[in-house]
């Protein structure tokens, strides 16, 4: 239960709980992927079962779809939904302008498609995900399997002219074999340390043959909810230019999340 969670998981939980305020009856909701987004799915499932909330969820990965169905959320495809009221997802990094690095869980392509097909994108994160400048977290780039080594060489060559500190590029592995995304692609992780011009890098990467999408989310996020280990939450809305703070109490009797795995 929340009272027994580590500080980092408490931070994720309160951010997810606060994000539920953005969801109203009848909405079509994009459901993110990752440990923080899993807290959100559990919280929304509780509202569906106990409060009669009626929503339709569009998941950004097969594992999110499985969890959503497990907790009682109606799952539909993006083609069925056509457009979404809100997408709520985590992030691997975010900066002061709410630009993001996403894709640590390997779902960046579907996450970006769903996020951009929404009236609003809300990011939920623990305070450790905030950075002064993007790039400490490896930047994922989804590439097609055909000729991926050539694509990697092109990426490495291009990084020479980019404003970055590091240029190491590695193929993401799943044990002894390459990691495969839900769309059947591979992921190159770019170890850049610092990204001086994220907008430029995102545009250049996506112009390369073989690159499907990159994990830089520029001008997509509308608000970020930052969770702290003591139950505090901070909500930054970049469009309204507002910052709100609140604190959520942990209920010792609430054991809904005791079996949630990261």
């Amino acid at each position: 239960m929340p009272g027994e969670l580590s500080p980092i998981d408490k931070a994720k939980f309160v951010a997810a709980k606060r994000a539920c305020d953005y969801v109203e009856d009848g909405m079509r909701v994009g459901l993110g992927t990752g440990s923080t987004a899993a807290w959100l799915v559990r919280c929304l499932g509780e509202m569906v079962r106990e409060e009669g909330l009626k929503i339709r969820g569009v998941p950004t990965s097969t594992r999110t779809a499985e969890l959503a169905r497990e907790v009682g959320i109606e799952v539909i495809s993006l083609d069925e939904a056509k457009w979404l009221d809100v997408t709520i997802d985590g992030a691997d990094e975010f900066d002061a302008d709410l630009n993001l690095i996403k894709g640590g869980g390997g779902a960046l392509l579907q996450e970006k498609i769903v996020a951009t097909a929404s009236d609003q994108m809300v990011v939920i994160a623990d305070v450790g995900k905030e950075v002064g400048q993007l790039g400490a977290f490896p930047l994922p780039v989804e590439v097609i399997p055909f000729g991926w080594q050539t694509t990697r060489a092109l990426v490495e060559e291009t990084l020479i002219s980019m404003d970055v500190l590091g240029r190491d590029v590695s193929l993401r592995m799943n044990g002894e074999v390459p990691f495969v995304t839900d769309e059947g692609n591979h992921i190159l992780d770019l170890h850049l340390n610092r990204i001086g011009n994220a907008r430029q890098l995102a545009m250049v990467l996506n112009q390369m043959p073989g690159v499907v999408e990159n994990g830089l989310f520029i001008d997509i996020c509308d608000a970020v909810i930052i969770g702290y280990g003591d139950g505090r939450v901070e909500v930054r809305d970049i469009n309204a230019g507002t910052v709100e703070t609140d604190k959520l109490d942990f209920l010792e009797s609430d054991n809904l999340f005791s079996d949630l795995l990261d």
Side-chain angles (χ1 to χ4, degrees):
M1 55 188 166
E4 297 173 346
L5 297 175
S6 67
I8 189 71
D9 280 330
K10 286 182 180 178
K12 294 177 181 181
F13 170 75
V14 295
K17 195 75 170 176
R18 177 64 175 80
C20 292
D21 293 346
Y22 284 82
V23 180
E24 300 176 1
D25 212 49
M27 277 189 170
R28 294 157 296 181
V29 182
L31 303 174
T33 295
S35 60
T36 310
W39 287 111
L40 171 81
V41 174
R42 289 277 181 160
C43 289
L44 290 176
E46 181 185 32
M47 294 171 66
V48 167
R49 297 190 307 273
E50 298 187 7
E51 301 175 21
L53 177 70
K54 298 185 184 304
I55 60 171
R56 290 179 291 172
V58 175
T60 54
S61 66
T62 54
R63 59 185 180 276
T64 295
E66 291 169 358
L67 178 59
R69 292 189 180 98
E70 177 186 321
V71 300
I73 297 174
E74 179 185 353
V75 172
I76 61 173
S77 69
L78 183 57
D79 287 336
E80 291 174 294
K82 295 184 172 60
W83 195 259
L84 304 177
D85 297 289
V86 64
T87 288
I88 305 174
D89 202 348
D92 298 302
E93 285 185 348
F94 68 91
D95 65 14
D97 295 320
L98 304 195
N99 293 317
L100 321 169
I101 286 182
K102 289 180 53 55
L108 65 100
L109 177 58
Q110 292 190 24
E111 288 173 334
K112 189 174 281 190
I113 292 172
V114 169
T116 54
S118 307
D119 287 337
Q120 189 174 28
M121 183 196 185
V122 177
V123 161
I124 49 178
D126 61 86
V127 66
K129 301 299 174 59
E130 182 174 11
V131 296
Q133 195 162 28
L134 298 176
F137 190 91
L139 174 64
V141 177
E142 187 159 341
V143 300
I144 65 170
F146 175 80
W148 72 264
Q149 295 187 57
T150 300
T151 304
R152 180 173 67 178
L154 287 171
V155 171
E156 290 172 336
E157 182 178 355
T158 299
L159 289 177
I160 295 174
S161 62
M162 295 288 102
D163 184 8
V164 296
L165 277 184
R167 295 196 294 270
D168 291 338
V169 179
S170 61
L171 177 69
R172 187 176 298 184
M173 302 296 290
N174 182 15
E176 299 296 320
V177 298
F179 176 87
V180 178
T181 70
D182 281 354
E183 301 301 318
N185 298 315
H186 294 332
I187 287 182
L188 299 177
D189 285 312
L190 281 52
H191 304 267
L192 308 176
N193 301 319
R194 180 189 62 81
I195 300 173
N197 190 332
R199 187 184 306 276
Q200 178 191 46
L201 180 59
M203 293 177 62
V204 169
L205 287 171
N206 278 8
Q207 290 174 352
M208 292 184 186
V211 171
V212 180
E213 188 54 80
N214 69 85
L216 286 166
F217 284 51
I218 310 297
D219 298 332
I220 295 176
C221 177
D222 296 287
V224 61
I225 302 175
I226 306 166
Y228 294 80
D230 61 0
R232 288 179 297 131
V233 290
E234 180 179 313
V235 183
R236 301 180 193 171
D237 188 314
I238 197 166
N239 298 315
T242 58
V243 178
E244 300 177 2
T245 57
D246 196 2
K247 186 168 184 178
L248 278 66
D249 293 325
F250 296 107
L251 301 178
E252 294 293 333
S253 61
D254 187 352
N255 61 4
L256 174 65
F257 311 104
S258 60
D259 62 344
L260 182 63
L261 299 177
D262 275 357

